[in-house]
Amino acid sequence: MRSRRAAGLAGAALAALGLAAVGLAGPAGAVGAGAAGRPAGSVQAGVISTIAGGVGGPGLATSVAVSPCGLDWASGSLLIGDGTMVRRVSMATDVLTTVAGDNASGPVDDSGTAVSRPLSDACGTLRDAAGNLIIGVGAQVLVLPAKTGRFYGQAMTAGNLYPIAGSGAGRDGGPAGDGGPATKASLSAAVHVAFDRTGNLLIADAGYPSDCGEENPLGSLVRVVAARTGTFYGQKMTAGDIYTVAGVQSGGTTAYGGLATRAWLGVAIGSVQPDRYGNLVVADQRENDPCGVIEPSVLVIAEVTGTFYGVKMTAGHIYRVAGDGKAGRAGDGGPAPAASLALAAGAVVDGAGNLVIGDGSRVRVVAARTGRFYGQQMTVGHIYGIAGNGLGGYSGDGGPAGQARVAAGAVALDADGNVLFGGGHRVRLEAVRTGTFYRVKMTAGDIYTVAGTGAAFSGDGGPPSRAEFTLPTAVTVDKAGDIAFSAATVDGAETTTVDLIAASSGSLFGRRLTAGNLYTVAGNGIAGYRGDDGPAREAEFDLPFGAAAVAFDGTGNIVVADAGSNRVRMIAARSGRFFGQQMTAGDIYSIAGTGASGFSGDGGLAVKAKIGFPTGVAVDPHGNVVVLDSLNRRVRVVAAATGTFYGRAMIAGHIYTVAGDGSASFNGDGIPAVKAGIAPEAVGTDAAGNLIIADNHFRVRLVAVSTGTMYGQPMTAGDIYTIAGDGVQGSSGSGIPARQAEFDVLGGVTTDQHGNVIVPDAYTGLVWVVAVTDGTFYGQAMTAGDIYAIAGGGATLGAGGPATSALLNSPLDVAVTPAGSLLVTDGYDNLLRAVSP
């Protein structure tokens, strides 16, 4: 998928489309108050707006979702590097705000207002002496000036972003740019930044592994941008230039005790931090094996000759002070170099000079001298656990830190010496003394959450514009105008929720809803399969993030294709009997699939049939559930009632194949759909009940439910036909015959109230319409049978402007509201967008 630039969100998007407070509901064709102060009824067709999603907050820190990959403390505030954003938590108010980034994934844009620009891999954060914010963002280090002035040799305007290191091109094994201007150098991934005691900027520049089974990974480096001209780390440096002081891109030695500039640091360096002697402390995961084997260690690059952390060191050489090179958790109470570490994601130096390590499921300390620290007697050079019981996960808030389950990556210390660590969508704290911190009374040695909800989403029960979610993939609308969508987070595990924007106030899905607000109706944010026959909000989903993976049935229930569990599941909007089961409002039930992947059961009960990784669902005009059975390369139907559908007799609750012969090869059109080779990506239905299939043969195809002329072609009931696409991968122009068009990665398909077929191309970022009649739709004059791009292709998010001038970042699904507005999931921008009709 391609990444995109992004501009600011349109805060009044719903009102601009005439859709506020009614969840985009209303009579067909109705529009209301216009954008930019236009009166009701004057909204221009084809205008795009953002209706849900963003940075979340501002609000209490524990009410906003965070994904902490970097932490720092400065000026009474906790700074959180959050991947696509930088957050600030005020210790005085405990309020979280976003100071940079817009939660959109994309290439770093170092121009313009910081809060309206995408950031990528924004983990390293730091405040300089002037109060400017320094941010490591992948292949660059940026500065957000606190005030207008001249910093780092550049004239800067407060609130904007400026590069101070890295050209943005990436290192990729080529020349790194040492000895030249820092802004022209190549960085691979600036995962952490710090200042040394002379004001030089330190950068942990991570490498990356080769493909599994291949050689020549790109090594991590420790780099320095000189603040002034002089000799540092044994090298003559010029102010503003960049130098490598440890690590090599390839080759080098894995032995410790040698020159730091000849050492191989692996590919997954986590942080660099100066200690009180000027030595550089490096958290190094040593992920040499691209297949997943790591050798975590904490290293020290000696600035001066002496004994540190119990190890004799020579200036300019590198030493391992914690970790034996074998991943594990053993060794507490003994010499740190003989102990095993699980992760070594980050390391920081505390006020006593001890090393504090974020070690996955624990926080551990290497004593710089013998004494009592963190409630324990410690020996110099030995290692001790201070938080976490080694089991990982989350538990124990308000109790002893050593007994809690934790996820610990980035670590930091606040002004009081409390230990902060991030992981598991939380920032947690171990109090070093009893007192009130972050407006919470704390006891020394106990653990507390200070930021984050523990999940990748927030905003439940509030306005959609203040909700935060990631990777929205599927969207659907019911006849009342309620909007449901799925959002997934891919961060080592896929966690999915199903969210609803309510069209009206009342009781639905077992909750009291307020019109216009957003509610999570299913999913607890944990990947897996559980929860059937119980509350949907406590249920787990396993990979339901395919295009068109959610759909409303005729009674307002939500159907979900839960691909990884090999099931189709239903969330009951109201209590009643559906698909042969008695259901309770707000609970979740399986209506197809046994959980075992395979193909079986046609003609029998759907809950006893095997299906293979179902990635899409739709509901036809009769209420039957159409299932995209992707591994079996078939489209199947679960009958809602007994009757004749798709030319065959069906029994309620039973499952039937209506398209696909199990092969992936294209074997032609105009043949019975059940004998056709298909590679389905998504499935939908039109008003007549025809099945529309987004086929990975770069075509949009239709299975006719009746004989006649449709979409400009004579068709026979039960046969399959191409209505768009020539079978060639690509991206063709707008305004040409639909069957001459070229597609790349098709997403979900739908039709609007005029019968036009709408399909997004996730890779090119375009949304296409196949016109079924002549007319003007979405602000464009169209000819029947031709295809038109109606959204995407621009340079910014473009909220409030023409949809064709907006950039969409992996649009995966589309739906049409009763008012005729088009909804689009803007996947990697983490937004739900709307195009006025």
Side-chain angles (χ1 to χ4, degrees):
M1 306 297 177
R2 292 180 181 173
S3 296
R4 309 294 193 211
R5 295 176 57 211
L9 304 180
L14 292 175
L17 290 170
L19 306 167
V22 291
L24 280 71
V31 289
R38 288 191 294 269
S42 66
V43 175
Q44 294 177 318
V47 169
I48 195 166
S49 297
T50 296
I51 65 165
V55 300
L60 288 176
T62 51
S63 71
V64 182
V66 298
S67 298
C69 58
L71 299 174
D72 190 57
W73 175 265
S75 305
S77 297
L78 169 65
L79 296 174
I80 304 173
D82 200 1
T84 56
M85 297 169 283
V86 177
R87 320 286 212 142
R88 176 183 179 270
V89 179
S90 166
M91 191 172 186
T93 64
D94 197 30
V95 169
L96 182 149
T97 55
T98 299
V99 295
D102 62 2
N103 200 25
S105 300
V108 175
D109 187 336
D110 54 25
S111 62
T113 306
V115 292
S116 67
R117 298 296 173 183
L119 299 178
S120 179
D121 301 318
C123 294
T125 59
L126 181 68
R127 289 277 188 193
D128 67 14
N132 303 314
L133 176 63
I134 313 299
I135 312 169
V137 284
Q140 284 187 303
V141 178
L142 306 179
V143 63
L144 173 60
K147 60 182 180 180
T148 299
R150 191 168 184 85
F151 309 100
Y152 303 97
Q154 304 178 51
M156 299 184 181
T157 301
N160 288 1
L161 289 168
Y162 300 86
I164 58 172
S167 65
R171 191 150 43 91
D172 297 328
D178 281 348
T183 52
K184 294 183 179 180
S186 298
L187 300 177
S188 174
V191 296
H192 190 257
V193 288
F195 287 113
D196 68 14
R197 57 185 179 178
T198 58
N200 301 312
L201 177 64
L202 305 172
I203 304 171
D205 186 9
Y208 55 82
S210 58
D211 291 336
C212 189
E214 296 184 2
E215 298 180 352
N216 301 317
L218 184 68
S220 299
L221 307 175
V222 176
R223 312 188 73 181
V224 172
V225 179
R228 56 182 175 83
T229 299
T231 299
F232 311 101
Y233 308 101
Q235 300 184 46
K236 292 184 177 179
M237 300 186 181
T238 300
D241 287 358
I242 194 168
Y243 302 84
T244 294
V245 296
V248 290
Q249 294 198 127
S250 61
T253 178
T254 58
Y256 297 111
L259 286 170
T261 50
R262 296 180 183 176
W264 170 256
L265 298 183
V267 302
I269 188 174
S271 66
V272 58
Q273 185 82 23
D275 70 9
R276 58 174 59 184
Y277 305 102
N279 306 311
L280 301 184
V281 178
V282 178
D284 181 14
Q285 296 185 54
R286 283 295 293 270
E287 190 175 348
N288 296 323
D289 185 340
C291 303
V293 177
I294 66 171
E295 301 171 1
S297 302
V298 177
L299 313 176
V300 168
I301 303 161
E303 170 68 355
V304 293
T305 298
T307 300
F308 310 101
Y309 314 102
V311 178
K312 291 183 178 180
M313 300 185 184
T314 300
H317 289 217
I318 191 166
Y319 300 86
R320 183 159 61 192
V321 296
D324 61 0
K326 299 175 183 177
R329 299 181 178 88
D332 272 7
S340 56
L341 303 178
L343 191 62
V348 67
V349 182
D350 71 12
N354 305 308
L355 305 185
V356 183
I357 306 165
D359 192 24
S361 59
R362 305 176 72 197
V363 179
R364 302 173 81 179
V365 168
V366 178
R369 58 183 173 84
T370 298
R372 190 168 181 83
F373 312 103
Y374 305 99
Q376 302 181 49
Q377 185 64 34
M378 299 186 181
T379 300
V380 60
H382 287 208
I383 192 167
Y384 303 85
I386 64 168
N389 60 13
L391 297 178
Y394 167 76
S395 72
D397 264 8
Q403 297 176 19
R405 299 179 68 164
V406 308
V411 287
L413 301 161
D414 66 18
D416 295 289
N418 300 309
V419 177
L420 297 155
F421 55 94
H425 298 293
R426 291 179 174 91
V427 178
R428 303 178 77 185
L429 174 149
E430 179 181 352
V432 295
R433 62 179 177 84
T434 298
T436 299
F437 312 103
Y438 302 90
R439 303 180 69 188
V440 175
K441 290 183 178 180
M442 299 185 182
T443 300
D446 285 359
I447 191 170
Y448 303 87
T449 295
V450 296
T453 62
F457 52 89
S458 67
D460 184 38
S465 61
R466 293 184 65 178
E468 181 185 354
F469 45 82
T470 55
L471 198 62
T473 53
V475 63
T476 185
V477 184
D478 69 9
K479 57 188 177 183
D482 299 303
I483 301 168
F485 63 95
S486 63
T489 297
V490 183
D491 56 359
E494 291 76 10
T495 61
T496 303
T497 60
V498 177
D499 298 297
L500 179 87
I501 302 175
S504 57
S505 299
S507 182
L508 206 61
F509 297 99
R511 303 188 67 177
R512 290 293 304 174
L513 308 180
T514 299
N517 282 1
L518 180 145
Y519 300 86
T520 295
V521 296
N524 64 4
I526 300 173
Y529 167 73
R530 66 179 295 270
D532 269 3
D533 305 320
R537 282 185 289 163
E538 298 176 11
E540 295 172 3
F541 293 105
D542 192 357
L543 311 186
F545 57 83
V550 296
F552 279 108
D553 73 4
T555 57
N557 304 313
I558 298 174
V559 184
V560 182
D562 194 358
S565 76
N566 300 300
R567 291 175 170 92
V568 177
R569 304 170 78 182
M570 175 171 282
I571 308 157
R574 299 175 180 85
S575 297
R577 192 167 183 82
F578 311 103
F579 292 90
Q581 300 182 53
Q582 187 63 38
M583 300 186 182
T584 301
D587 286 2
I588 190 168
Y589 304 84
S590 287
I591 62 170
T594 65
S597 180
F599 176 74
S600 70
D602 253 18
L605 284 170
V607 290
K608 294 185 177 181
K610 289 183 179 180
I611 52 181
F613 209 75
T615 54
V617 288
V619 178
D620 70 16
H622 303 287
N624 304 310
V625 174
V626 182
V627 182
L628 193 158
D629 192 353
S630 65
L631 289 185
N632 294 312
R633 300 180 181 91
R634 290 175 169 91
V635 176
R636 304 171 80 179
V637 168
V638 181
T642 298
T644 300
F645 312 104
Y646 307 98
R648 62 187 301 179
M650 298 187 181
I651 299 173
H654 288 213
I655 192 168
Y656 305 85
T657 295
V658 294
D661 65 357
S663 68
S665 300
F666 179 77
N667 59 352
D669 285 322
I671 62 176
V674 292
K675 295 182 179 180
I678 60 174
E681 291 287 335
V683 64
T685 66
D686 66 11
N690 301 304
L691 298 182
I692 304 173
I693 302 169
D695 193 328
N696 200 28
H697 295 115
F698 313 112
R699 293 174 168 90
V700 179
R701 304 175 79 183
L702 180 142
V703 179
V705 294
S706 60
T707 299
T709 299
M710 292 169 283
Y711 300 93
Q713 301 179 57
M715 299 186 181
T716 300
D719 286 0
I720 192 168
Y721 301 86
T722 294
I723 60 173
D726 63 1
V728 177
Q729 184 176 14
S731 181
S732 55
S734 190
I736 64 173
R739 279 181 281 174
Q740 296 178 17
E742 295 178 358
F743 303 114
D744 204 315
V745 178
L746 290 173
V749 290
T750 192
T751 56
D752 63 17
Q753 68 266 45
H754 305 288
N756 302 313
V757 176
I758 307 170
V759 60
D761 188 326
Y763 186 78
T764 61
L766 298 170
V767 178
W768 297 96
V769 166
V770 179
V772 295
T773 59
D774 294 345
T776 299
F777 312 105
Y778 309 99
Q780 298 185 50
M782 299 186 183
T783 301
D786 286 358
I787 192 168
Y788 300 85
I790 60 168
T796 69
L797 280 180
T804 50
S805 297
L807 247 171
L808 299 176
N809 191 349
S810 191
L812 282 172
D813 199 14
V814 287
V816 177
T817 73
S821 293
L822 174 66
L823 303 179
V824 184
T825 58
D826 191 357
Y828 287 106
D829 282 330
N830 303 314
L831 302 171
L832 184 62
R833 319 289 301 279
V835 180
S836 59

